[in-house]
Amino acid sequence: LEAEQVGALARGPISAKKDGVTVTLALDADARPVVTVARGDKPLKSIPAPVKKDARVAELTEQAAHLKRQASRMRQSLETAMCRGDAFCGSELVQLCGHPILAPLLSRLVLVGEGIMGYPDGKGRALRDAGGKLEPVKKGERLRIAHPSDLLAGGAWDRYQRECFEAERIQPFKQVFRELYVVTAQERRDGAVSR
């Protein structure tokens, strides 16, 4: 449903004109909504009050606010899905990578599947590991957002941290640089007792 609401914006910027002022709503490279205002070729810092009252301009600014809230919800949902270990199949990944706001968020997260791990690539049809090697994703393959415990168990945590740092990748939430506290041998021996 949210993909349909963003559909028109995904095809290109949407503009409204009033009294020679053009208000444009577009998605930037990170799929964040950006509202720009210009009078002719001259950019303005804000929307003039009389123009702001126009129904089409008000609709654009409301849509920008809605998209910001939507992106925030998506970030929270992705983090929750990582923590819970929610799984989805390869064909669902292709659908998720077609969403104009969700795709850039997912592209910066490490996913883990059946013997594969990496960033979604090729519109969700492959995973690219920390070394750049592409591994195809089968339509029925079960995937999930990798938790740091997956990265630790796979012995790839340091490689993904290094790759993320070198690529200057800003993740939508802490994933590869997230803190992880593992149970120590003494804690296992103590069981449910706390000292």
Side-chain angles (χ1 to χ4, degrees):
L1 179 65
E2 290 187 335
E4 291 174 13
Q5 292 174 340
V6 180
L9 194 56
R11 291 186 286 278
I14 300 171
S15 297
K17 292 183 181 184
K18 174 76 173 166
D19 299 335
V21 175
T22 305
V23 179
T24 304
L25 173 61
L27 295 176
D28 68 7
D30 293 325
R32 290 184 300 237
V34 177
V35 175
T36 56
V37 186
R39 185 180 308 273
D41 292 337
K42 183 183 175 198
L44 302 175
K45 292 183 180 183
S46 62
I47 303 171
V51 175
K52 195 180 277 191
K53 294 176 184 176
D54 181 67
R56 292 171 299 157
V57 172
E59 185 180 325
L60 279 183
T61 56
E62 178 55 37
Q63 187 175 6
H66 172 74
L67 292 172
K68 286 178 184 178
R69 291 189 301 269
Q70 183 180 6
S72 177
R73 283 193 312 273
M74 286 180 180
R75 273 191 292 282
Q76 291 171 346
S77 294
L78 289 171
E79 186 171 14
T80 301
M82 179 197 70
C83 293
R84 287 191 316 220
D86 293 347
F88 48 93
C89 66
S91 59
E92 290 173 321
L93 177 61
V94 172
Q95 281 183 318
L96 294 173
C97 287
H99 189 286
I101 294 178
L102 187 57
L105 300 175
L106 267 176
S107 71
R108 295 179 286 184
L109 293 172
V110 179
L111 304 182
V112 62
E114 299 161 10
I116 61 173
M117 182 183 290
Y119 299 102
D121 203 325
K123 297 184 180 179
R125 291 178 174 76
L127 295 184
R128 183 179 30 80
D129 69 10
K133 181 182 172 196
L134 288 176
E135 204 53 59
V137 175
K138 299 175 209 87
K139 287 185 180 184
E141 184 165 6
R142 302 300 292 165
L143 300 163
R144 53 192 175 75
I145 300 171
H147 189 275
S149 60
D150 297 315
L151 298 169
L152 180 65
W157 201 359
D158 61 331
R159 290 194 307 268
Y160 280 100
Q161 285 181 334
R162 183 173 34 261
E163 189 280 335
C164 194
F165 183 76
E166 288 172 355
E168 297 180 2
R169 184 181 326 280
I170 299 172
Q171 294 191 297
F173 59 86
K174 276 188 173 184
Q175 182 193 29
V176 298
F177 291 104
R178 191 180 197 98
E179 299 82 7
L180 178 66
Y181 301 99
V182 294
V183 179
T184 65
Q186 182 63 45
E187 289 171 331
R188 281 194 184 95
R189 284 192 297 274
D190 290 344
V193 177
S194 175
R195 292 185 169 76

